[in-house]
Structure formats: C-alpha cells, structure tokens
Amino acid sequence: MKRMAMTLDTFTRSVEAKSLPRVLQMQSGYYFQGSVYELYGREGSFSCGELLKVIGISVTRLIVELQSEGSKSITVDLSLDYPGLFRIVADKRPYTSIKEIVDSVCISPECLGQPEFYCPKKLQLPEGTIQAEESFKLTALRTEHGDSHVDCEVTRKDSKHIFTVKLSHTGEFYECADDQFYTLGELVEWKIPKGRKRTVTWAKSLPSKEKCMSELPEDYSGELVLTPVYELQTVSKFGKNVVFIPSTLDVEVLDVTEECDGACFMQPLSFRDVFAKPREFFPFKAEVIKPPSQVQEELGFLKSSKQVIVHSAYQAKRILASEIRSEAQRRFLIPVSYNGRFKRRPRTFPTAYDLEVAKSNMEQLHVVATRAFETHYEGLSSVLVGDQYLVHKMETSEVIYGDKRKTVEALACEKMVGKKHEAVLIPMCLDGGFVEVVHDKKQYMLSDICHRFALPFNVKVSMRDLSVKEDLLAGATGLQLEEEITDPYLIVSTPDLAQCWEVPVNRTNMALQLLERWNGPKLTQGEAVRSAVEEIGENCYFTLRRYANASVLPPPRPPKRPQKHSEDTAKLPPPRPKKSESPHTANTAKPAVPTSRASSCAEQNPTPPRNETSNTSLVTVPDSGPQKATGEENSPQHKTIKQDDDGTNDYEYIDEDELASIRRKLNDQSTHSKRKTISTFAMQTAKQV
C-alpha cells in the first residue's frame, strides 16, 4: 500500500512522542538549490529527497487567545518561561472511549501525569463498580498478554481502590475539575491533550512578571485559550549538529522509518535521555554537541569543554530554602554536603496549630506571644502580649461554648509567670502570633540541622563555605530551610578529572553524543565529587513546593460568636479540667480568624511555605496599664523591640532574664495603675457624698 505524503505540521500533530525517532523524506516544498540552508540555527529550506531523522518534538511558544465578551478576541504569543501560575478549566468535550483518553493525555507514575475523569453512568468492572459521576484517576498504562488496559484509582473515605479498565471500554468520559495551579512549562509538558486546545485562568502572578515584556493586558482576568507551536529536533545523515525545524515550514514529508536504517544518523542525547539509561550504561565518554546556554559559575566547564565524562546518575538530596525577607525573596537548593556553618534564628508562628507542628522531642519549644487573643471557650486560656509558653502537645478538652458543653482540641502548654509555671490549654484555632525564644547559640553543619531538627527551620550563615569562590548563601539576611527533596543529577567531569561536579538534569539544557565507554577510574557520589548551591527561579520553586504540605491538615475552624441568652437561662456546671488550670470566661469579642495557608523544576508540588517570615521580627510589649485580651486595633500604645538583621543591632537571641524583668515591670505598672484608679474613684465618691 502506497503511503501518502503529508504536510510537516500534520505529521507533527499526529505522531506520538513514544514512537520517536522517525525518519522523514522531503517530498515537496519551497527550497533553495543545494543541501541544507541554515538560518540562525533553524532550517529554512531542503532539497527534495533529503532524509532527516526526527529525534524530538518540543513546544517553543504558545499562541494565547483572550476571550472577551462583546468584542473580537485578542491573540498574543507567550514564551514558555513567562512567569505566572495558571488554573485549568475542565474540558467540556467528552471522550468517547478509554483509548481516546490514553492517546490524548500523558499518563505516568509522576503526580502531574495522573489525570482524573468521571463518567455520567456506572462503570461495571471485574473488580467492582465505579459509580456514576465518581471521579477516577488514571495511574498507569499496562499491556498483558497482548491486551492493553489502564489502572484506575478511586478514593473513598480516605481509602484507595484500584480498578482495571480496558482501552476498548466505550462511553462518555469527562475531565474533572483541577484545583492545582501550573506554570506554562508544566501545562505544555503534561496538561495539553493532543488535538485539543487548553483553556486556563490566572491563578497567581509571580514577582518577576512585572519585568517580563508581554502583550497580555495587565487587568485581564478572563479565560485564556492556549495553542502550542511546535518545533522538530532533527539530525541529517551527514551532519553532527542538531537542527531545529518549525512545524509550520511549508514542506511535505513522507515517513520512511521502516525502509531506512536509522543507525547511520547521529544519536544525540539530552541529560534526561542520559538519566533514563540503565546503570550498566555508565561511565562513558561523550562529545558536547550542544553546550548549555546558561550555567552557574561552578559548572562553567560544561560550556568550554569539547568532551566530558559522565560517571553515573542518581537522585540526590537537596534542602529547599528561601531567603527571609518581605519581598524579592531568593530561593536556593542547598546540597547536604554544604561546608558552611549556621546559627539558629527565631521562628514565627501565626497560630497554635503551627506550634503543634513545630514542636520537637529534641528540645522544648519556648515562645513569646506577640498578639493578644481572647478565647470564647470557657475552660481554655486567653493569650496576652508578652506571655511566655513552653509547648507540650495537643490534647482534647471538655469546655463550655455558649450554653453547650463540647469537646475541642487544645494545645497544652506551660505558661511562665516569673519563676512559676502554670499549666494552661490554649485553643488550636488561636489567631495571634508567637516568636521563638532561642537559647541555643551553637554553630551547626547543614547535615546536623537535618538530623536534629524538624523543618521548616530558620538559620543564618555564621561562617561561609570556604571551599567555593563565592558562597551564594553568605549574603542572605536569613534563611528558612523549608524541606528536604530529591532531584535527578548526573556526575560529570572533564576528561582529566580536574573538574567533577553534580549537574542537575532538569535545569541543564545540553546535548551529548556518545563516543565510547570510559575505562578510567569510576567516581561515585562523595568521592572527589563536588556539589554547588543553586539559586532557582520562582517557577521552579513553586513547582518543587507543589505537594509539600499535602499531608498536613489545616488548622481547625475558629468558633462562632456565642448567642446572647436571657438572665434566667440556667448555667451549666463547669467542665472537668484535665489539668490544673484557670478557666477564663468568654465574652462577646469578635473571634479571630486563623491565617490561611496553602500546601516540584520537574517532578515534585506548589505552594508558598507555611511560615513566611520577614527579615525583621517584632516583639510587642505594652507601654503601661492593665492588659486586655483584644485585637491589635484595640490594644494600648506599645513599644517595639526590633530584631534587626544588622550586625550592630543583633536582637536575634531573646534573653529570658530580660523578658522576666519586662514581665515584672508590667505587673508592677499594672498594680500601680489599679491602685491609682481605686483611690481616684474613692475620692470622687467622697466628694459626691
């Protein structure tokens, strides 16, 4: 059967990525005489009958159509590195079979490659029934005994059930709504179905968006329809360079893969291709076909070297960290082998729930309240500015709320009043503020911090890493070590082994040509292999953070204001306290609302870190007079103790004796004020008599 020629664009949209590489023969089109004409690294014309091997297809940019009511739609171009995060609008067009879904979307073990669908009707399967409109997640595509099927995962009451669905299963299947947000690069790689457009909306603008040149209207908040523009990565039969061809080039091609020997073409490998090779493939010597356009200073040998040695591939540990400052934060990936030293910095906690998460068995968590909070639960303690607590654990307590007795979760603490300690329970929904009192002035290695303390953890570089020319972390005012992640790396060296570094796979864009197996000394992780601190962008940071706190439960919802009751309403007896405590009577003050918080650049989940702190922490202490447990807007005039980052005014460590002295002064002032008020009242009464 004679095959028909097709346009290059038709071939690009119909070919499956897993079927690459493919060999194409040019059939017709506008071209100059001779062989390949190269224009700025992109192909402009070809000779008829010329053979090209397609080794990859990528999206270079997106055509964005802005949907506006009552006027013509606007079309603009966006590059894939455009800063910003987007939410997906579920596709309303149904899929008619499981095979159509599999042919259109990406399915993989990665979290981004597990799309969710639902069917309006029941699905009767060998393992059971998927109910009508019950969502199921496609987790894997498998072939057994010549029969292909997909594994589906259904979550019911916190338990997961696995079903098997054949590709031949027909019906109407709709895409489920997706509450995650994605960068443009992630949308292109995972979330644009083949043969369909993708509609998205803005989810979050990143700080770097202001510096980006774009034709997108600043005030636009509607839907955006994304259409990818493709580019083919090819190699010619006699060339050594990778040639990039736009899919819109006006030529016709014929797929001759079955008739042509593809082994005669060059075999360039990207870093991702190399990482996917089996262990027996390493080590090998390779020629640098395409050096990286941008690389950090320590890895500069990748741009200048003609040949390199790739020793091994593995998942390496990194600590994701953010600079502690209010704006223009820098983000870092720090290797555990970092040789600098750190000192601890106080952490801030917006709620009692954060105290519960941050407590550790290694040491007692000591905090000072920076905001007042009055509870509406009779049996739980209110919090005043300046109160000090030693945090113990979360427990349940029986309290009175309004006229009803109920069981709530509370945080058991020791309230420090001078040298005395009083056992109290504070509500988990407390929306106040706490700052940590740091007694530890030791210097720590990064590996020690990861072993002894729970993340997130605040530190400051006290001694820079002397093994590198310039330490990126030394200039940071403070760092929040957020979490430990793993990321793919290759050990790459120069042929003489003078330079040997861990090189990130997902953030290094270069191509290699395999030359021969390396028979020299094989280097592994930790043996003369150096690791560099990486400064990453906002897009990469939010990708790495996407599912960081997915397993952490949100804080409990704050209580509603109790309803007023008549005087003859019978009062309930007080609850049975679990510990010696002083119940506080609730009043009608408006309850505080806890601060809302959200929960990887490559294969890991996004959200800003839980405890965002600025470079200046404030500990507020009332000036004088009796304290009242009210919000900040009703608090008396207060003084501010400022924890500055300047070395000449270092208030990083709060001395407990000084705090005790402040508390004694406050108590004396409060007592004096009360006596003065009583004497004034007595004099006024005597005059009236």
Side-chain angles (χ1 to χ4, degrees):
M1 182 177 178
K2 186 177 180 180
R3 287 168 296 174
M4 301 293 293
M6 67 187 83
T7 65
L8 188 60
D9 186 63
T10 302
F11 167 81
T12 304
R13 297 183 183 278
S14 61
V15 69
E16 296 184 9
K18 59 186 177 183
S19 69
L20 298 179
R22 310 292 297 179
V23 179
L24 301 181
Q25 184 182 56
M26 296 295 164
Q27 297 295 302
S28 65
Y30 179 78
Y31 53 90
F32 293 103
Q33 289 184 353
S35 183
V36 178
Y37 172 77
E38 201 169 321
L39 180 64
Y40 301 110
R42 267 59 180 168
E43 290 306 312
S45 62
F46 301 90
S47 298
C48 184
E50 189 167 354
L51 295 177
L52 290 176
K53 183 178 182 179
V54 181
I55 59 174
I57 299 176
S58 59
V59 178
T60 56
R61 58 188 174 90
L62 291 167
I63 298 177
V64 182
E65 183 180 349
L66 282 64
Q67 303 291 335
S68 54
E69 298 180 359
S71 61
K72 293 183 178 180
S73 59
I74 304 173
T75 301
V76 298
D77 285 0
L78 282 186
S79 62
L80 300 185
D81 58 355
Y82 181 81
L85 301 172
F86 302 85
R87 291 191 186 276
I88 292 175
V89 177
D91 194 350
K92 297 180 181 179
R93 287 172 51 195
Y95 293 84
T96 58
S97 68
I98 297 296
K99 186 178 186 308
E100 184 183 358
I101 296 177
V102 171
D103 292 341
S104 301
V105 303
C106 295
I107 301 175
S108 79
E110 308 297 339
C111 55
L112 295 180
Q114 298 184 355
E116 288 194 49
F117 293 85
Y118 72 91
C119 180
K121 298 181 181 180
K122 290 184 179 180
L123 295 179
Q124 300 292 342
L125 303 173
E127 297 86 357
T129 302
I130 299 179
Q131 301 299 324
E133 298 189 359
E134 185 177 25
S135 64
F136 56 89
K137 184 185 297 183
L138 306 182
T139 59
L141 175 63
R142 295 191 296 171
T143 301
E144 294 179 357
H145 308 294
D147 190 13
S148 298
H149 60 269
V150 291
D151 291 339
C152 299
E153 182 181 290
V154 178
T155 303
R156 295 170 180 165
K157 295 182 180 180
D158 298 331
S159 62
K160 297 180 179 180
H161 304 267
I162 305 299
F163 298 87
T164 301
V165 186
K166 293 183 178 181
L167 299 191
S168 58
H169 201 109
T170 59
E172 285 190 356
F173 302 96
Y174 293 88
E175 188 178 43
C176 291
D178 190 346
D179 60 354
Q180 296 293 328
F181 43 93
Y182 305 91
T183 64
L184 285 182
E186 291 172 334
L187 290 172
V188 166
E189 185 175 0
W190 298 100
K191 298 298 180 179
I192 298 184
K194 185 183 299 183
R196 300 192 180 206
K197 298 180 180 180
R198 171 57 76 194
T199 304
V200 299
T201 59
W202 279 108
K204 181 179 178 65
S205 297
L206 300 181
S208 54
K209 175 178 178 292
E210 300 175 359
K211 304 177 183 179
C212 182
M213 299 297 293
S214 172
E215 300 177 6
L216 278 179
E218 294 183 0
D219 57 346
Y220 183 76
S221 60
E223 295 183 349
L224 302 93
V225 180
L226 309 180
T227 303
V229 177
Y230 296 94
E231 185 176 66
L232 287 76
Q233 303 167 29
T234 67
V235 291
S236 61
K237 197 167 185 177
F238 305 104
K240 294 186 65 176
N241 295 328
V242 179
V243 178
F244 299 88
I245 306 175
S247 64
T248 54
L249 193 67
D250 186 19
V251 294
E252 288 190 345
V253 296
L254 182 65
D255 190 339
V256 294
T257 305
E258 306 300 330
E259 293 83 5
C260 183
D261 181 15
C264 61
F265 291 86
M266 183 187 67
Q267 306 284 338
L269 300 172
S270 67
F271 265 32
R272 291 193 178 187
D273 296 331
V274 174
F275 185 81
K277 296 295 182 181
R279 184 176 301 178
E280 297 76 18
F281 193 76
F282 302 93
F284 63 89
K285 179 186 287 189
E287 181 181 357
V288 178
I289 302 300
K290 176 189 172 186
S293 56
Q294 292 183 346
V295 71
Q296 61 191 100
E297 183 178 356
E298 293 86 350
L299 305 180
F301 73 95
L302 296 176
K303 298 183 68 174
S304 58
S305 298
K306 299 297 183 182
Q307 294 181 355
V308 294
I309 310 298
V310 182
H311 296 271
S312 62
Y314 54 84
Q315 294 279 349
K317 291 183 179 180
R318 289 295 185 270
I319 303 300
L320 185 62
S322 294
E323 188 176 13
I324 302 176
R325 57 191 304 174
S326 57
E327 57 184 20
Q329 288 181 297
R330 294 189 297 165
R331 319 288 189 178
F332 302 96
L333 282 176
I334 311 175
V336 182
S337 60
Y338 175 78
N339 288 322
R341 299 293 191 275
F342 297 97
K343 278 189 176 182
R344 297 176 60 176
R345 290 201 57 180
R347 293 171 287 178
T348 58
F349 309 99
T351 69
Y353 180 84
D354 297 285
L355 296 177
E356 161 65 19
V357 173
K359 67 180 178 61
S360 169
N361 295 328
M362 302 293 295
E363 64 175 356
Q364 187 80 56
L365 180 58
H366 181 189
V367 296
V368 179
T370 58
R371 286 184 58 188
F373 177 88
E374 186 166 7
T375 180
H376 293 284
Y377 289 124
E378 186 175 338
L380 300 185
S381 175
S382 296
V383 175
L384 303 178
V385 174
D387 284 350
Q388 297 186 60
Y389 297 95
L390 296 177
V391 180
H392 287 293
K393 63 179 180 178
M394 182 178 65
E395 59 184 50
T396 57
S397 176
E398 189 176 340
V399 299
I400 294 177
Y401 177 60
D403 287 339
K404 298 180 180 180
R405 181 179 292 140
K406 61 186 300 185
T407 301
V408 299
E409 291 182 340
L411 189 63
C413 303
E414 287 184 53
K415 184 177 180 181
M416 304 172 64
V417 183
K419 295 184 178 180
K420 297 181 180 180
H421 289 192
E422 177 187 352
V424 297
L425 295 174
I426 60 177
M428 290 294 292
C429 59
L430 185 152
D431 178 30
F434 301 90
V435 63
E436 182 181 19
V437 181
V438 179
H439 306 278
D440 184 5
K441 298 185 179 182
K442 296 179 182 178
Q443 296 187 94
Y444 292 96
M445 296 282 290
L446 182 59
S447 56
D448 296 333
I449 292 176
C450 296
H451 177 70
R452 294 190 56 183
F453 305 105
L455 303 183
F457 196 75
N458 290 5
V459 296
K460 184 177 182 178
V461 176
S462 58
M463 187 178 75
R464 75 176 189 89
D465 188 349
L466 301 177
S467 64
V468 295
K469 182 179 180 180
E470 181 180 358
D471 189 347
L472 296 177
L473 305 181
T477 56
L479 292 170
Q480 184 178 68
L481 308 179
E482 297 177 8
E483 68 166 330
E484 183 181 291
I485 66 169
T486 58
D487 212 31
Y489 284 83
L490 298 176
I491 294 182
V492 184
S493 74
T494 54
D496 59 358
L497 305 182
Q499 297 275 355
C500 186
W501 291 83
E502 285 183 340
V503 182
V505 172
N506 294 318
R507 294 173 294 280
T508 306
N509 184 21
M510 63 183 298
L512 304 176
Q513 168 68 30
L514 176 64
L515 294 179
E516 61 184 357
R517 185 169 181 82
W518 171 253
N519 295 320
K522 183 178 180 180
L523 299 181
T524 59
Q525 187 180 12
E527 299 178 5
V529 180
R530 304 177 68 185
S531 305
V533 175
E534 298 176 65
E535 183 173 351
I536 58 176
E538 291 291 300
N539 282 359
C540 183
Y541 168 78
F542 283 110
T543 301
L544 292 168
R545 287 286 295 168
R546 171 163 287 110
Y547 302 107
N549 296 325
S551 61
V552 179
L553 297 176
R557 183 174 296 177
K560 298 179 181 178
R561 181 182 300 182
Q563 297 180 355
K564 294 182 178 180
H565 298 272
S566 58
E567 296 180 357
D568 56 350
T569 302
K571 292 187 177 181
L572 295 174
R576 298 186 300 273
K578 304 185 88 174
K579 290 185 178 182
S580 59
E581 55 186 74
S582 300
H584 294 260
T585 306
N587 61 14
T588 56
K590 184 177 181 180
V593 180
T595 305
S596 61
R597 301 181 300 279
S599 90
S600 96
C601 131
E603 296 103 12
Q604 284 133 308
N605 154 51
T607 65
R610 168 191 296 279
N611 300 325
E612 289 290 338
T613 56
S614 62
N615 61 336
T616 301
S617 301
L618 299 179
V619 179
T620 56
V621 180
D623 187 18
S624 62
Q627 290 185 337
K628 295 182 180 180
T630 57
E632 283 188 341
E633 65 276 6
N634 298 326
S635 62
Q637 184 180 3
H638 58 273
K639 296 178 181 178
T640 301
I641 300 175
K642 192 172 184 179
Q643 298 176 4
D644 205 335
D645 294 313
D646 187 27
T648 59
N649 298 302
D650 189 4
Y651 299 102
E652 183 174 327
Y653 300 98
I654 305 174
D655 188 81
E656 54 186 346
D657 295 332
E658 182 181 352
L659 286 172
S661 176
I662 293 173
R663 293 296 298 150
R664 285 196 298 270
K665 291 180 181 179
L666 289 175
N667 291 333
D668 294 342
Q669 292 172 356
S670 177
T671 304
H672 176 73
S673 178
K674 289 180 179 179
R675 291 175 179 173
K676 185 176 180 181
T677 303
I678 293 173
S679 62
T680 304
F681 177 74
M683 293 176 62
Q684 292 177 351
T685 304
K687 290 180 180 180
Q688 292 177 0
V689 174

